[in-house]
Amino acid sequence: MNLKTQIIVLLSGLCSLLSAQQSAIYQSKTYSIFSDKIIQGNFTADVVSPAELTSNYRSSVADKYGPNVQFKFSINSRDNEMLSGKDHGVTLNPVDGKCVTLVVFGEQLNEVKVVPAGVNLPENLVWTIRLDMRKVLNSFEKEGFYTFYNGDKLTKADFKGVYIAGSIAPLSWDFSNLYNKPELQLNDHDGDGIYETTMILNKKQDVKQTEAKWKLTKDIAAFPQYKSDYLISDAIYNLAIEEMIKAVEPDSTFRTGKEWAGVWTRDISYSIILSMAYLQPKVAKYSLLSKVKNGRIIQDTGTGGAYPASTDRIIWAVAAWELYKSIGDIDWLRQAYRIIKNSLEDDLKNVYNPNTGLVKGESSFLDWREQTYPRWMQPADVYESECLGTNAVHYQANIVLAEMANLLNEPTVAVKHNLIAQKIKKGINQHLWLKDKGYYGQYLYGRNFKIVSPRAEALGEALCVWFGISDKDKQQSVVTNVPVMDYGISCIYPQIPGIPPYHNNGVWPFVQAYWALASAKAGNEKSVLECIAAVYRPAAMFLTNKENFVADNGDFAGTQINSSNMLWSLSGSLALVQRVLFGIDFGKDSLNFRPFVPQAFSGKHSLTNFKCRNSVLDITMEGYGNQIKSFELDGKESTPAIPYVLTGKHSIRIVLTNKLFSSSNINKVPNYTSVETPIVSYASGILSWSPIEIAKVYTVLKNGKLLTQTAQTSLSIKAKGYAEYQVLAVDSNIVASFTSEPVIVAGKKVQHVYEVENYAPKSTLNYRNYQGDGFVEISKTQNRIVTIPMNINKSGIYSVNFRYSNGNGPVNTENKCAIRTLKADGKFAGTIILPQRGANEWSNWGNTNSVQVKLSKGKHTISLVFEPQNENMNGDVNQAMVDSMVMYKLK
C-alpha cells in the first residue's frame, strides 16, 4: 500500500469515526449509544430489527478464576470469626487437581503469593477445607460458652453450625444466607474437632454469561406498540414487553424475576406504579391482593423478622391508587381504602415518631442490612432509623389515603391524613436536608441521640422529587447535585468498604427509572438522557432486564444476587417510553400528557393501542422538548388531558415546540468508597478506638454533637451523668465513615436495672447467659402484660429498653419479630420491638430499641403490653424472652 493509499484509508477511517461520533444518541467515556447499536469497549449490541438484538458481551470475570482466595469462617451464619475485614488468604497450588487447606478458627491464615496476571485455577479443582474447631469446642465444655473476638458469647446449645464464606464461587460473602447453602457448611463426621467440607472450584457451569441473541417469540399485539426513529429504543421496548408477558405466573400474579419466585410487596408495588397498573391491571390487582392478610398489607420477610424493623409495605398504597386511576373501579377503591387505612392505623402507633415527624424502619427496598447500614447496627437499631425513602413512601401513602377518603366522602379521614403527610414532609426537609450538599441525607441513625448519615440514597432522593416533597428549588438541586457515575446512579453514595456489590456499589435499573421521572419533573434534560442510556446499555448488552449490576464497571456478574427478566427493571424500561417520553400520567379525572423528549431523541414517536379505561388511543408525537406546541384529539385541537368518559378508539397527535431545554448539569463523579468505621471502647476514663489505615483525622461526638477532632486514637473523658460517645474516621478528601456504635458512659446514679423475673412468673425454659435469677417469657398467651413499679428519685427524661432473646428465626429473614406497646403509668409511651436474633438461639441476648419517657419524682409504673396493633406478620408467633429492663436518666 503506497503512501497516498494509506492517507486515504486513514482519512476514511477518521471520517467514519467522526460520523459515528456525530450520530451517537449518547456518548460517554465508557460506552456509546447509536440508533442501531450500543458500543462498550470491545463489546457491541446490534439491533437486527425491532424484534431482534444480538450482543457479544462477556462478563469481565468470566475468564478470571485466579488461585488466590480470600475466605472466612462463620458460626451460625454470622461474620463473627475475626474482626470485620480481617480474612484468611491462600494461594491454591493443586496437585493432581486437588488442594487441602487447614485453618484454626480465629487464627488468621495468610499464605497468599504473587501470581502473574492471566493464571487461573484448572477447571473442576477439588478443594478440601479443614477447620480446627477444638478451641471452640473445649471452651464449650469448660465454660459452657465460647467468647468471640469482640466479647460476644455463644453457648453450646446455641451453636448451630459453622460455614465458610469467601471471594470465589461457590463461596459468597453473604454471611446471613450461608445457612441456606448446605455445600458451604463444614461438618465433623468423626468427632475429632476438625470440621471439613469439599467443593469444586472453577466449574464450567459457574461461568456467568448471557445469551448472544434475543428474538421476539411472544405475541405482543395486545399491548401498546411503540415505534420511533430509533431502532434501539423500539427493540428494547419490545424486549421489555415480552419479558413482562413471561413475568406472569399461572395463578395470574406477577413473578418477581426469573430467579425470584413469588410475589414480593415492594417489588410488585414499585413495578405497578411504574407501568404495570395500566399494562396488566388484572394481574396487578391479583398480585396486590395476594399481599394482604387480616385486612392489612403484608410486610415482606426481612431484617429481624421484618415488620416493624422494615416498614415500607405501605408502598402498596401508592400502587393500589395507581391501579384505581387506571381502571376507575369504585369497588377496588373501597377495598383498597380499608386495607390502607387499617395498615396506617397500626403504623401510626408502631413506627411514627411524634418528635421528628418521621417514620421509623429500614430503608425502602434496601433490605439487606449490611449493604446500607454500619455493621454494628442490629435489627432494633434499624427499626429506630428514620430513612429517606421509607419516609417518602409514607408521605405519599398518607396523601393517597386522603385522596381516597375524599372520593369516598370521608372528610375527617382526609383531613387527618393530609396533616400527617405534611408532618412527614416537614420532618424530611427539616431533619434530612443537607444544605451543604444540595440533597437529602440517607437516614437519621443512632440510639438516644441520632445524627444524619450524609450518604445519598438514590431511590429516596428520586421519590422526594417526584412526589413533590421537595419544592421546585430543591427538586433542581437534588437532580443536579446527587452523585451519579458512568454506568448510572448507585443505590447509595459513597460506597461502604468491605461490602460486596448488591445494594452497595450497585446500580438498579428500576431505581434509575424513578430517577428519570424525578429528572423530568425537575426539567433536567442531561439527567434524563443519562437515565435512558443507563437502562438501555445493560438491557441491550445482557439481552434481558437484569436486577442490578456493579456500579464500578457496569457488569452483571459481580453482584451477590442477580436475576434476569426482573419485573421492576422491565417495568422501568417501559416507563421510560410511556411515562417519560410521552409523559403519560393517570390523574384522578383524566389521562394527562407531560412529554419530556431530550433533543438527542428528537423525531417521530408513536404509541398505538394504548388502553385508557374504556378507550383505546393511537398516539403520535414529533419534535423534542417538554413543552407542547399543539395537541390534537381526532384531528381537533384539545388540551393535553383526555377525560375518562371517552370511549372507543381515538387518535392523538402531539407536536412539541423544539425549544431548547434550559442549561442543566449533573454531578458525574468517579465511584468512591468511604473509610472503615472505627470500633470504640471505654475503660478507666479513656475512650479508645481501632486505628483506620487511611484516616487523617477522627471526629468524636458526644450525644450526637461534635466534641472534638483528633489525629490520635484515644481521648480522656470525664464520666458525669449520661453520655453516648461515637467516633467517625475522616479521610484526606474529608469523606467520613459511618459513626461507630454508641458507647455509653454513665454514672451509677443514672442507671437503673430491673430484673423482670421479679415482676412476672419466671420461665422454666433451660436457656443460659441471662442476668439475675432468670427471665420471663412473653407471647400472645403468656404474660401479655408485664408491669414494673418504681420510685423515681429525680424528675427527668429516661430511656427505657429491655435485654431480651428471640430465637424464632434468623436475623435476616422470616416474620416473627415480637412487638409490644410500652406504657408509662398506663399511658402510651412508645413501641418496643424484640427482633429475631438467630434461629433457635435463645441464649443469644441483646437489647431492644429505647423509648424515652418523661417521669416526675415519685412512684410510677412501666408496662410492656401486647395490644392489637402489636400483631406481627406471622400472626401466630409473637414471642420473646425478657431478662431485664434498663433505664438511664438522660437529662
Side-chain angles (χ1 to χ4, degrees):
M1 187 182 292
N2 59 37
L3 181 60
K4 182 177 180 181
T5 303
Q6 289 178 347
I7 292 172
I8 291 172
V9 170
L10 181 62
L11 288 174
S12 176
L14 183 60
C15 288
S16 297
L17 178 62
L18 289 172
S19 175
Q21 288 176 337
Q22 290 168 358
S23 63
I25 301 169
Y26 170 86
Q27 195 157 33
S28 72
K29 63 182 182 181
T30 52
Y31 66 94
S32 300
I33 298 179
F34 302 87
S35 176
D36 61 349
K37 67 171 69 71
I38 296 179
I39 299 174
Q40 178 185 335
N42 296 324
F43 305 120
T44 301
D46 285 305
V47 184
V48 179
S49 74
E52 186 174 352
L53 287 161
T54 62
S55 173
N56 66 348
Y57 184 84
R58 188 167 175 81
S59 168
S60 59
V61 301
D63 299 312
K64 296 177 182 177
Y65 209 114
N68 289 341
V69 183
Q70 300 294 317
F71 63 100
K72 198 170 188 176
F73 298 100
S74 163
I75 291 179
N76 292 358
S77 207
R78 286 187 175 85
D79 184 2
N80 54 13
E81 183 194 9
M82 299 179 290
L83 189 68
S84 187
K86 184 178 181 181
D87 306 322
H88 302 292
V90 65
T91 300
L92 297 178
N93 185 21
V95 176
D96 297 328
K98 297 180 180 180
C99 281
V100 178
T101 302
L102 175 65
V103 187
V104 177
F105 186 88
E107 297 180 15
Q108 186 179 29
L109 176 72
N110 190 355
E111 295 182 353
V112 176
K113 301 174 183 177
V114 177
V115 177
V119 174
N120 289 326
L121 285 175
E123 284 185 5
N124 299 317
L125 171 70
V126 178
W127 185 32
T128 298
I129 308 98
R130 307 189 75 225
L131 175 63
D132 187 341
M133 287 282 288
R134 287 176 292 186
K135 181 171 63 174
V136 177
L137 300 176
N138 289 339
S139 183
F140 284 157
E141 295 304 318
K142 292 179 180 178
E143 306 290 339
F145 58 83
Y146 172 75
T147 303
F148 291 104
Y149 72 92
N150 60 359
D152 288 349
K153 291 181 173 61
L154 175 77
T155 66
K156 182 179 180 181
D158 281 349
F159 174 63
K160 306 303 176 185
V162 61
Y163 305 83
I164 182 170
S167 59
I168 59 174
L171 302 182
S172 163
W173 289 117
D174 181 7
F175 286 93
S176 296
N177 284 303
L178 292 176
Y179 70 95
N180 286 322
K181 301 176 180 178
E183 70 275 17
L184 301 183
Q185 182 170 6
L186 293 86
N187 294 286
D188 180 12
H189 295 296
D190 58 8
D192 65 352
I194 308 298
Y195 285 64
E196 70 174 55
T197 188
T198 298
M199 62 187 66
I200 308 298
L201 303 183
N202 202 11
K203 292 181 186 177
K204 256 192 173 179
Q205 57 265 41
D206 285 340
V207 176
K208 295 185 176 181
Q209 56 191 6
T210 53
E211 300 295 330
K213 182 171 76 171
W214 166 77
K215 191 169 185 178
L216 183 65
T217 58
K218 296 285 185 181
D219 182 0
I220 63 172
F223 299 99
Q225 305 294 297
Y226 172 61
K227 293 181 181 179
S228 71
D229 292 340
Y230 304 91
L231 279 173
I232 189 71
S233 295
D234 300 355
I236 288 174
Y237 178 90
N238 289 335
L239 167 65
I241 288 286
E242 179 172 70
E243 291 201 324
M244 176 192 72
I245 296 170
K246 292 178 179 179
V248 179
E249 297 279 31
D251 66 353
S252 295
T253 60
F254 286 121
R255 183 181 179 92
T256 300
K258 184 179 179 182
E259 284 76 37
W260 285 105
V263 180
W264 293 70
T265 302
R266 67 176 66 89
D267 295 57
I268 60 158
S269 297
Y270 280 116
S271 303
I272 288 166
I273 295 163
L274 283 168
S275 55
M276 293 300 106
Y278 54 85
L279 290 176
Q280 298 256 50
K282 287 185 178 179
V283 182
K285 183 178 178 180
Y286 295 150
S287 299
L288 288 171
L289 288 176
S290 75
K291 302 304 294 183
V292 176
K293 182 179 179 181
N294 297 327
R296 287 159 173 80
I297 305 162
I298 296 172
Q299 178 72 45
D300 292 321
T301 58
T303 295
Y307 186 82
S310 297
T311 56
D312 68 340
R313 62 175 180 163
I314 208 66
I315 190 63
W316 188 101
V318 187
W321 178 238
E322 204 64 36
L323 178 59
Y324 166 72
K325 290 188 294 181
S326 71
I327 62 177
D329 182 349
I330 193 68
D331 290 334
W332 169 248
L333 179 69
R334 291 192 183 101
Q335 186 178 15
Y337 172 78
R338 289 192 298 271
I339 294 165
I340 297 164
K341 187 172 180 291
N342 290 340
S343 302
L344 279 175
E345 287 298 329
D346 288 350
D347 286 349
L348 283 170
K349 296 172 182 174
N350 289 329
V351 300
Y352 279 53
N353 184 344
N355 297 318
T356 61
L358 296 173
V359 181
K360 300 177 183 181
E362 194 167 39
S363 295
S364 184
F365 125 81
L366 303 174
D367 60 340
W368 186 341
R369 183 167 47 103
E370 299 89 341
Q371 286 279 331
T372 49
Y373 285 96
R375 293 180 181 91
W376 60 263
M377 287 182 70
Q378 295 298 307
D381 297 310
V382 173
Y383 161 76
E384 277 292 325
S385 65
E386 297 172 27
C387 305
L388 182 65
T390 299
N391 273 273
V393 165
H394 276 266
Y395 163 82
Q396 192 65 12
N398 278 280
I399 291 290
V400 162
L401 186 58
E403 293 276 15
M404 289 180 165
N406 279 325
L407 289 174
L408 295 172
N409 197 27
E410 297 274 1
T412 303
V413 175
V415 170
K416 174 183 175 179
H417 286 277
N418 261 321
L419 288 173
I420 293 169
Q422 296 313 310
K423 191 171 184 180
I424 296 172
K425 180 178 180 178
K426 180 181 178 182
I428 291 172
N429 285 297
Q430 180 179 340
H431 296 290
L432 295 176
W433 179 254
L434 305 174
K435 187 176 180 180
D436 60 325
K437 293 184 179 294
Y439 52 82
Y440 295 97
Q442 183 182 14
Y443 44 62
L444 296 180
Y445 71 122
R447 290 192 176 141
N448 283 306
F449 301 94
K450 295 175 184 174
I451 67 166
V452 64
S453 167
R455 278 179 166 82
E457 190 258 283
L459 181 59
E461 309 282 355
L463 295 180
C464 283
V465 172
W466 196 47
F467 290 158
I469 295 167
S470 316
D471 60 27
K472 188 173 181 180
D473 289 342
K474 280 191 171 78
Q475 289 170 10
Q476 294 175 349
S477 178
V478 167
V479 175
T480 299
N481 291 304
V482 167
V484 298
M485 293 173 289
D486 287 338
Y487 293 101
I489 186 167
S490 59
C491 294
I492 61 171
Y493 189 95
Q495 315 307 327
I496 304 172
I499 300 296
Y502 187 61
H503 296 137
N504 187 60
N505 196 20
V507 176
W508 290 59
F510 97 92
V511 175
Q512 194 77 54
Y514 277 100
W515 188 244
L517 291 167
S519 300
K521 182 165 186 173
N524 193 313
E525 179 195 23
K526 192 169 186 178
S527 184
V528 170
L529 183 59
E530 289 274 336
C531 290
I532 295 172
V535 172
Y536 280 13
R537 180 203 66 85
M541 285 291 170
F542 311 151
L543 299 179
T544 184
N545 288 279
K546 282 284 188 184
E547 180 179 2
N548 51 52
F549 50 87
V550 181
D552 278 336
N553 56 21
D555 188 26
F556 70 89
T559 60
Q560 290 295 285
I561 306 169
N562 205 345
S563 176
S564 300
N565 209 132
M566 197 70 182
L567 180 66
W568 51 15
S569 298
L570 67 90
S571 300
S573 180
L574 295 169
L576 290 180
V577 170
Q578 296 160 356
R579 303 203 66 152
V580 176
L581 295 181
F582 283 89
I584 292 173
D585 176 54
F586 283 82
K588 281 189 297 183
D589 304 308
S590 61
L591 182 71
N592 306 311
F593 290 83
R594 300 182 182 90
F596 194 108
V597 180
Q599 189 175 9
F601 282 92
S602 176
K604 295 180 179 180
H605 301 262
S606 70
L607 190 65
T608 58
N609 195 36
F610 186 88
K611 297 177 177 64
C612 172
R613 294 199 182 180
N614 296 315
S615 63
V616 178
L617 307 176
D618 289 341
I619 310 163
T620 61
M621 181 172 64
E622 57 187 79
Y624 67 89
N626 62 349
Q627 296 180 30
I628 296 174
K629 181 179 180 181
S630 66
F631 187 94
E632 295 179 358
L633 175 62
D634 297 329
K636 296 179 180 179
E637 279 291 328
S638 177
T639 59
I642 306 300
Y644 289 140
V645 294
L646 196 70
T647 60
K649 193 172 179 67
H650 300 271
S651 64
I652 293 173
R653 181 172 181 264
I654 305 171
V655 178
L656 302 177
T657 60
N658 289 345
K659 183 179 179 180
L660 292 174
F661 288 91
S662 300
S663 179
S664 57
N665 295 305
I666 59 173
N667 184 22
K668 200 166 190 178
V669 296
N671 204 357
Y672 198 87
T673 301
S674 67
V675 292
E676 277 285 2
T677 302
I679 297 174
V680 183
S681 60
Y682 171 78
S684 304
I686 302 295
L687 196 70
S688 58
W689 53 90
S690 55
I692 303 300
E693 187 175 350
I694 59 173
K696 295 298 180 183
V697 70
Y698 300 94
T699 299
V700 183
L701 305 179
K702 179 183 179 182
N703 294 344
K705 305 292 184 183
L706 175 65
L707 177 65
T708 188
Q709 283 194 319
T710 177
Q712 306 302 314
T713 56
S714 64
L715 183 69
S716 178
I717 59 174
K718 294 180 180 179
K720 185 180 179 181
Y722 177 93
E724 289 180 1
Y725 291 91
Q726 294 172 280
V727 178
L728 301 90
V730 184
D731 66 15
S732 57
N733 291 316
I734 321 180
V735 176
S737 68
F738 282 123
T739 60
S740 64
E741 181 174 10
V743 171
I744 295 174
V745 179
K748 292 182 179 179
K749 291 183 179 180
V750 300
Q751 181 181 9
H752 308 276
V753 178
Y754 300 84
E755 293 297 337
V756 179
E757 67 273 14
N758 295 331
Y759 307 95
K762 183 167 66 174
S763 173
T764 58
L765 293 166
N766 187 27
Y767 304 146
R768 302 185 61 174
N769 286 348
Y770 54 83
Q771 298 172 348
D773 294 327
F775 54 88
V776 172
E777 179 182 1
I778 60 172
S779 69
K780 294 180 70 173
T781 58
Q782 297 191 56
N783 299 308
R784 288 171 63 96
I785 301 176
V786 176
T787 298
I788 300 174
M790 64 194 62
N791 197 344
I792 297 297
N793 294 324
K794 286 187 177 182
S795 301
I797 304 297
Y798 289 80
S799 74
V800 181
N801 75 80
F802 295 84
R803 188 171 189 262
Y804 82 101
S805 73
N806 182 343
N808 281 311
V811 74
N812 66 315
T813 187
E814 295 192 18
N815 57 7
K816 303 184 191 76
C817 177
I819 314 169
R820 294 296 182 272
T821 294
L822 188 77
K823 292 189 174 184
D825 299 325
K827 296 180 180 179
F828 178 85
T831 298
I832 292 288
I833 75 162
L834 306 94
Q836 298 165 188
R837 294 185 57 80
N840 297 313
E841 294 184 35
W842 288 103
S843 297
N844 176 356
W845 301 88
N847 294 316
T848 67
N849 61 300
S850 294
V851 172
Q852 294 185 16
V853 181
K854 186 176 182 179
L855 297 174
S856 60
K857 182 179 179 180
K859 293 183 178 180
H860 297 275
T861 59
I862 298 291
S863 301
L864 202 59
V865 185
F866 181 79
E867 295 195 329
Q869 71 271 13
N870 300 141
E871 288 284 2
N872 61 18
M873 295 297 110
N874 183 272
D876 296 322
V877 179
N878 198 321
Q879 174 199 34
M881 308 299 146
V882 181
D883 184 18
S884 59
M885 181 178 78
V886 182
M887 293 179 61
Y888 289 100
K889 184 178 183 297
L890 303 181
K891 54 186 176 181

